Amino acid sequence: MAKLEGMVIDGKQVPASSGKTFEVRNPANWDEVVGEAPQGGREDVRRAAESAHRALEVTWWGRLHESRRRGRVLQKYVELVEAQKADLGRLLTREQGKIYAESVGELDSLINTFEYYAGYGGKIAGEVKYVRDGDSVIKVETRKQPIGICGAILPFNFPVSLYAWKIAPALMAGNAVIIKPAGSTPLIDIRLTALLQEAGVPAGIASVVTGPASQVGEEMIAHPLIRKIAFTGSTEVGKLVYAGATQRLKHVTLELGGSDPTVVCDDANLELAAETIVRSGRFRNCGQSCTSVKRLYVFGNVYDRFMDLLINQTRRLNVGNGLDPATDMGPLHTAKGREDVERFVEDARKAGATVAAGGRRPTGQAYERGFFYEPTVLTDVPEEAAIWHEECFGPVLPVKKVSNLEEAVAEANKTPFGLGACLWTESEERIESFVAGIESGMVWVNYKPLSVPETPFGGVKDSGIGRELGAEGLAEFLETKSIRTYVGKA
Ligand code: NAD
């Protein structure tokens, strides 16, 4: 019997009101039950919202003068997570499928993010000015205060780092949070929320409700006490969330899908570019990252040399169970995720593309019970293939030859998405021209698509609204109140 992890409501780990549970299985071996989670519903969201409302009224948490105290709690949380990192990392790999080194990397991202926002203790401030109104002096003041109860809806691909990107700034700002993990990755988010209670977050301030989107997600959007929805997920669901939240005039941040382009120019360090694109760009998390390199444009005069490097690197990747230290890439997270990837490859192949690496499921006993797929490179992919226009959320990289940067940028801007973009060049002039012309919220130059808490993250066009991380990420969880006070005669 798998261990049941109770969700966290009002500071306690509890079953769902319905008493029902669901199993979580390992994507690398579907026979392995990793654990059991409560099948929460609308009633559980209501319980969490009422407990959060009470907690904001009666505890110290949301008080404007307590931000240093909140910072100490976040810092204590960092220590607790650090102490359990290996155990949490193994759980994340078994629940999500990514390799253990990447699981530890995600936990490091969570630690860095909580540490960064803990540093805002004592520094959340509005401003005071004095102005003249005729012969009167008026003090005008802005006060930065918490929004209230914020809902966080999370995707399956980064259940730890994206948890931190929302929860750390929301809590630092003095809000209460209700977290809805993806249906298939509830266990790690339950653990992370239980640790918040241990760190000293008052009961009711941080809850996690697991269960189906049609119940838990929709109730979070509908519930009048929840004043903000911070959502990360697909563009398709993001549009539904946006429609529901704006109807109720809630604050929203939407971090949505992407189809990030990378451009390799003829003056780039080709060895480094190929290695980075393979090791950290396209195949990390089995291609299931919003900022994965999803389309590659290479200058024609270095194309053959670069493709040799890229294909050699790709073929060297070991596919397998993420707990095996020899594994470079784990399975896809779900059977459906793998079928979607197979459809993209089949569609491109039928249109006339060449499969230069991978393009199939690996064979052998080790792969039979998991959702494995080989890291795949496609060349000569015709314009009409879906992979150029839609988001392919798996380990497949289409490559196109371009003759110059202008053509590359025009190709790169063709999709409705605008999350990130990478450029490989030594030329300052090309960097400037790329940054100016590319339609994206983020740019990386001669580096992997790294995210750090010090700088904002987010996209334009169909990739979303608002920013996470950095000072902007904190501002998204604060309300501004402005006060005008008569002082006297001028
Ligand atoms: P998804 O949109 O299927 O689900 C995301 C979350 O929304 C889940 O918790 C799901 O249960 C919930 N949900 C589904 N329908 C809902 C509804 N009607 N109301 C409320 N909640 C609902 O996304 P996914 O498959 O888990 O994640 C992959 C997607 O997320 C990709 O498109 C990826 O690019 C995107 N993503 C974006 C970023 C970013 O920062 N821009 C980061 C990671 C992932």
Side-chain angles (χ1 to χ4, degrees), residues 153-157 162 180-183 213 217-218 221 231-234 237 240-241 255-258 290 391 393 419 457 463:
I153 301 181
L154 303 176
F156 76 82
N157 62 338
L162 299 180
K180 184 214 158 314
E218 290 189 9
I221 294 161
F231 173 85
T232 301
S234 60
V237 174
L240 295 175
V241 170
E255 298 289 349
L256 308 179
C290 52
E391 181 183 32
F393 216 52
L419 192 56
F457 183 102
S463 291

Side-chain angles (χ1 to χ4, degrees), residues 248-391:
R248 293 162 180 94
L249 294 178
K250 297 190 182 196
H251 296 257
V252 279
T253 44
L254 300 169
E255 298 289 349
L256 308 179
S259 181
D260 288 6
T262 284
V263 177
V264 178
C265 301
D266 53 4
D267 60 341
N269 179 335
L270 299 184
E271 285 76 14
L272 186 61
E275 188 185 341
T276 308
I277 290 164
V278 169
R279 293 268 157 191
S280 329
R282 176 67 274 204
F283 303 113
R284 183 171 81 110
N285 199 10
C286 196
Q288 302 159 114
S289 166
C290 52
T291 53
S292 290
V293 175
K294 297 195 181 113
R295 296 172 292 142
L296 183 55
Y297 301 99
V298 182
F299 277 34
N301 53 344
V302 292
Y303 182 84
D304 290 343
R305 196 148 57 89
F306 178 78
M307 288 309 289
D308 279 348
L309 294 165
L310 186 86
I311 288 163
N312 276 336
Q313 286 277 354
T314 304
R315 289 194 177 135
R316 286 221 294 269
L317 293 178
N318 280 320
V319 179
N321 188 313
L323 286 181
D324 179 346
T327 299
D328 298 307
M329 191 182 93
L332 282 133
H333 182 59
T334 61
K336 170 159 186 319
R338 179 168 64 175
E339 283 160 18
D340 288 346
V341 162
E342 287 173 329
R343 259 195 302 277
F344 273 109
V345 174
E346 223 15 68
D347 166 78
R349 217 194 305 244
K350 275 201 189 123
T354 304
V355 178
R360 61 190 185 103
R361 298 179 183 190
T363 49
Q365 214 186 350
Y367 302 113
E368 273 168 16
R369 299 300 298 149
F371 309 127
F372 296 99
Y373 195 77
E374 287 187 356
T376 298
V377 176
L378 301 176
T379 56
D380 313 310
V381 188
E383 174 66 21
E384 69 268 23
I387 200 157
W388 289 127
H389 311 286
E390 297 168 27
E391 181 183 32

Side-chain angles (χ1 to χ4, degrees), residues 172-254:
M172 191 60 226
N175 298 286
V177 291
I178 300 175
I179 299 140
K180 184 214 158 314
S184 49
T185 52
L187 301 176
I188 188 79
D189 287 344
I190 288 176
R191 289 272 184 96
L192 292 174
T193 312
L195 284 177
L196 280 173
Q197 323 301 310
E198 212 177 310
V201 172
I205 291 296
S207 298
V208 57
V209 182
T210 53
S214 59
Q215 294 271 314
V216 178
E218 290 189 9
E219 183 60 25
M220 281 170 68
I221 294 161
H223 200 291
L225 285 176
I226 300 177
R227 294 310 315 148
K228 170 172 174 125
I229 299 290
F231 173 85
T232 301
S234 60
T235 298
E236 190 188 351
V237 174
K239 286 179 181 171
L240 295 175
V241 170
Y242 193 37
T246 48
Q247 219 182 9
R248 293 162 180 94
L249 294 178
K250 297 190 182 196
H251 296 257
V252 279
T253 44
L254 300 169

Side-chain angles (χ1 to χ4, degrees), residues 409-460:
V409 171
E411 288 292 330
N413 285 342
K414 272 184 182 171
T415 75
F417 300 107
L419 192 56
C422 297
L423 177 68
W424 289 86
T425 182
E426 295 300 320
S427 153
E428 288 287 334
E429 204 180 314
R430 282 176 170 166
I431 294 171
E432 263 316 306
S433 145
F434 186 77
V435 171
I438 196 78
E439 294 168 1
S440 72
M442 297 173 287
V443 174
W444 291 270
V445 182
N446 298 329
Y447 207 62
K448 62 185 176 185
L450 171 81
S451 310
V452 288
E454 287 82 358
T455 192
F457 183 102
V460 299

Side-chain angles (χ1 to χ4, degrees), residues 57-73:
E57 272 183 2
V58 303
T59 73
W60 59 272
W61 187 260
R63 310 274 182 263
L64 296 191
H65 55 275
E66 295 288 19
S67 79
R68 282 216 326 255
R69 195 168 163 195
R70 290 196 293 273
R72 283 201 297 276
V73 171

